């Protein structure tokens, strides 16, 4: 009887100990990391990790993984840390990021991927990050960016792509970030040709609205090398055809029989045909170098015209006054003389009578 009671007690104790051990293991800090409960931070930098460490505390909000040898981010790498707000993966060897790798991080605000080996960013890589505000992709080897970073990335306020190998950047990507305040472009081999013309238009509008940027310096073609893109005249882009804006989806309330028609393309002599370059794509119109310069030019021109008009009015008033004074003088002083004549004028008349 006593033995059976002792056995039950031992079993219960072992069960409690096992559950406690599992819970402690599940919520413990990885062996090479330092976890701070007060700041909810996991310090795993400079630890030689080659992948995202497992068994991270689920309550952490700051994860420091910089200066390791991580080479890939798998799809479920951050499933156990859904409350992360700051993720630092800088100075690693990351060459690829799996689609959906960050999709569980709905509270993430800062993502630092600088100083890695990333070549491509695929479409929707950063989907489902509605609170993301800062995205740093600088100092990689990125040669191409997608047309969108993903769903729910419209709250990004800072984007850095400096020190990469970008030759162009899609305007549609920049327009998908309406809350952008700071964008950094420098030290990329930008090709200042027709492919970057849309970016020039966007950057002018962005700066006019108060945005901050370090500018785009052209690397090619040769005649534009070293020049600021904003200072390249619009006339040099005159042959560039703007990409036609995407047609909005057809309304469900169309008139009966209405159909979407395609505009015919025109040949070099204005005749319909398939050989016309650019078709009906709108052509770039000459515009001032920047909107600020245009406004300044209009203001200065208005001021100058106003001053000239005032000067002309003053000259007219002065001329009228002078003419009136002169006429009055002639009437008062020279009128009697002309009426009675002078002695010299009378002598020849009298002598002729004699």
């Amino acid at each position: 009887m006593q033995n059976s009671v002792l056995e039950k007690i031992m079993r219960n104790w072992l069960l409690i100990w096992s559950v406690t051990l599992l819970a402690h293991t599940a919520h413990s800090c990885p062996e090479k990391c330092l976890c701070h409960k007060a700041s909810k931070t996991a310090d795993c930098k400079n630890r030689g990790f080659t992948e995202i460490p497992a068994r991270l505390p689920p309550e952490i909000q700051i994860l420091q993984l910089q200066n390791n040898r991580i080479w890939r981010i798998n799809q479920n790498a951050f499933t156990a840390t859904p409350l992360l707000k700051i993720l630092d993966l800088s100075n690693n060897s990351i060459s690829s990021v799996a689609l959906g790798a960050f999709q569980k991080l709905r509270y993430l605000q800062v993502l630092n991927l600088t100083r890695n080996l990333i070549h491509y960013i695929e479409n929707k890589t950063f989907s489902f990050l509605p609170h993301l505000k800062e995205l740093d992709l600088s100092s990689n080897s990125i040669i191409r960016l997608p047309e969108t970073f993903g769903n729910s990335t419209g709250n990004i306020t800072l984007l850095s792509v400096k020190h990469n190998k970008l030759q162009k950047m899609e305007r549609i990507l920049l327009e998908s970030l309406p809350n952008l305040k700071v964008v950094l472009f420098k030290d990329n081999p930008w090709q200042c040709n027709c492919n970057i013309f849309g970016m020039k238009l966007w950057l002018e509008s962005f700066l006019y609205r108060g945005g901050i940027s370090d500018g785009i310096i052209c690397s090619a073609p040769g005649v534009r090398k070293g020049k600021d893109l904003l200072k390249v005249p619009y006339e040099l882009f005159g042959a560039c055809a703007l990409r036609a804006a995407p047609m909005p989806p057809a309304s469900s309330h169309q008139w009966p029989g209405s159909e979407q028609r395609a505009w015919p393309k025109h040949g070099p002599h204005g005749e319909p045909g398939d050989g016309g370059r650019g078709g009906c794509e709108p052509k770039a119109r000459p515009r001032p170098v920047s909107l600020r310069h245009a406004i300044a030019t209009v203001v200065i021109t208005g001021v100058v015209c106003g001053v000239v008009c005032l000067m002309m009015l003053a000259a007219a008033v002065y001329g009228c006054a002078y003419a009136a004074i002169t006429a009055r003088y002639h009437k008062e002083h020279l009128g009697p003389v002309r009426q009675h004549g002078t002695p010299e004028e009378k002598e020849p008349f009298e002598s002729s009578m004699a």
Side-chain angles (χ1 to χ4, degrees), residues 39-96:
S39 60
K40 298 181 180 180
T41 301
D43 182 358
C44 302
K45 60 179 179 287
N46 295 302
R47 299 294 192 272
F49 286 112
T50 57
E51 59 183 11
I52 307 299
R55 299 192 306 275
L56 286 166
E59 68 274 7
I60 63 170
Q61 297 181 1
I62 303 174
L63 178 55
Q64 299 174 336
L65 284 167
Q66 62 267 37
N67 304 323
N68 283 289
R69 297 194 297 272
I70 299 172
W71 63 277
R72 178 177 172 81
I73 302 177
N74 296 319
Q75 187 171 6
N76 299 318
F78 301 102
T79 303
T81 54
L83 302 179
L84 277 183
K85 292 184 177 180
I86 299 176
L87 176 57
D88 192 342
L89 288 162
S90 61
N91 199 21
N92 277 278
S93 301
I94 300 170
S95 58
S96 62

Side-chain angles (χ1 to χ4, degrees), residues 196-204 229-230 232 234 237 289:
I196 208 172
F197 183 61
M199 194 174 175
K200 172 182 171 70
L201 298 178
W202 178 89
L203 185 57
E204 283 188 352
L229 176 63
L230 294 181
V232 177
Y234 276 85
F237 293 97
V289 174

Side-chain angles (χ1 to χ4, degrees), residues 2-42:
Q2 292 180 352
N3 291 334
S4 60
V5 172
L6 288 175
E7 288 179 0
K8 289 181 180 180
I9 293 174
M10 289 295 295
R11 287 173 188 166
N12 291 335
W13 184 84
L14 287 173
L15 180 61
I16 294 172
W17 182 81
S18 301
V19 171
T20 304
L21 181 62
L22 287 174
H24 177 73
T25 302
H27 296 275
S28 65
C29 193
E31 182 179 355
K32 296 181 180 180
C33 300
L34 296 175
C35 296
H36 307 280
K37 292 185 178 181
S39 60
K40 298 181 180 180
T41 301

Side-chain angles (χ1 to χ4, degrees), residues 171-300:
R171 181 180 180 182
I172 191 173
L173 171 60
L174 295 167
E175 290 179 342
S176 69
L177 306 173
N179 292 307
L180 202 59
K181 299 293 186 295
V182 181
V183 58
L184 304 177
F185 292 119
K186 73 175 184 179
D187 292 332
N188 279 282
W190 300 110
Q191 302 290 313
C192 294
N193 50 29
C194 292
N195 292 327
I196 208 172
F197 183 61
M199 194 174 175
K200 172 182 171 70
L201 298 178
W202 178 89
L203 185 57
E204 283 188 352
S205 176
F206 174 73
L207 295 176
Y208 181 74
R209 297 193 307 268
I212 300 173
S213 176
D214 55 359
I216 296 176
I217 304 300
C218 302
S219 294
V223 293
R224 303 172 196 172
K225 185 176 182 180
K227 292 185 178 180
D228 189 337
L229 176 63
L230 294 181
K231 295 181 179 179
V232 177
Y234 276 85
E235 289 76 10
L236 298 182
F237 293 97
C240 297
L242 289 174
R243 288 189 175 183
M247 293 292 293
S251 174
S252 58
H253 302 287
Q254 291 183 343
W255 294 102
S258 61
E259 296 179 355
Q260 184 177 357
R261 297 181 181 178
W263 293 96
K265 295 183 179 180
H266 295 274
H269 300 290
E271 299 176 356
D274 297 331
R277 185 183 65 178
C280 291
E281 294 178 343
K283 302 297 181 181
R285 294 182 300 174
R287 294 175 58 184
V289 174
S290 72
L291 295 176
R292 292 179 180 176
H293 291 176
I295 293 174
T297 302
V298 171
V299 172
I300 293 172

